[in-house]
Amino acid sequence: MSGVIPRHVAIVMDGNGRWANRRKRPRVFGHEQGVEALVRTVRACVERGIEYLTVFAFSSENWKRPEEEVSGLMSLVLVAVSRHVAKLAEEGVRIRIVGDRTAVSEKVRASWDKAEAATRDNHRLVLSVAFNYGGRWDIVQACRRAVADGLTSDTLTEAALSRYMALSHAPDPDLFIRTGGELRISNFLLWQAAYSELYFTDCLWPDFDAAQLDAALAAFAARERRFGDVQAAAPASAPEEA
């Protein structure tokens, strides 16, 4: 893969349920296949030199889903940790969990702690899994922590508040991918994605693979990132002498 490679890629992994429904299977089956797609994507990112990958696994709004599906997702967390963490650790992946941990069970929190501890010393790729996360929640919790630390209106700057965000360990995403055909960011990384390049694809998440990633990377490489600036005009060519 040639061209400009983003340092940080964020992904809304959408379409698991629809993928399963089209195959007349339970929605949880789609989520299981989504985990396999995530593992493929992590390895593809490592191979392409991407340093940070952040994925939206469970939003703070997903508690509204049927109880059976939510329960299945929680069980899937435990299975995914036991099945994949050791191998990812060997491949140099560091796992970070971002989100509100208070609403999940002690067993799930323990599995997260295990995954983070097992991969703490890795630096090849930082995989941040957003679970029970919402962009608005992230901004509010950052403000509360900043105020608790004594920051005032005079000292609260963008840079200061960024240190309290859930993703403070990573640079802002360069590329924001959403699968599943929807054209919205759904309360994901509202603060961090201010200047991210957005890429939407109809591909349902369980079908996402290295080729799909490369298509997103190619689109990213073709874009001009100005961050509010303007591109300098090319110098005029000198007139040819007679």
Side-chain angles (χ1 to χ4, degrees), residues 1 9 11 40-41 44-45 48 50 175 177 199 208-218:
M1 179 72 195
V9 174
I11 305 179
R40 289 196 304 269
T41 302
C45 286
R48 286 151 182 76
I50 294 166
L175 174 61
I177 300 171
Y199 178 86
F208 197 85
D209 57 14
Q212 292 286 338
L213 177 63
D214 284 343
L217 295 180

Side-chain angles (χ1 to χ4, degrees), residues 136-148:
R136 292 178 176 177
W137 164 86
D138 196 1
I139 295 170
V140 170
Q141 67 83 28
C143 290
R144 287 174 173 169
R145 291 172 57 209
V147 170

Side-chain angles (χ1 to χ4, degrees), residues 102-171:
T102 60
V104 301
S105 70
E106 180 60 35
K107 183 179 292 187
V108 169
R109 287 198 297 271
S111 74
W112 289 347
D113 291 341
K114 177 181 177 181
E116 290 180 324
T119 62
R120 182 173 291 122
D121 297 328
N122 292 340
H123 303 287
R124 195 172 183 189
L125 172 77
V126 177
L127 170 62
S128 299
V129 181
F131 201 99
N132 196 26
Y133 173 91
R136 292 178 176 177
W137 164 86
D138 196 1
I139 295 170
V140 170
Q141 67 83 28
C143 290
R144 287 174 173 169
R145 291 172 57 209
V147 170
D149 279 353
L151 270 71
T152 66
S153 59
D154 294 329
T155 58
L156 186 59
T157 63
E158 287 187 18
L161 189 59
S162 290
R163 292 194 289 270
Y164 291 91
M165 304 300 291
L167 214 63
S168 61
H169 59 272

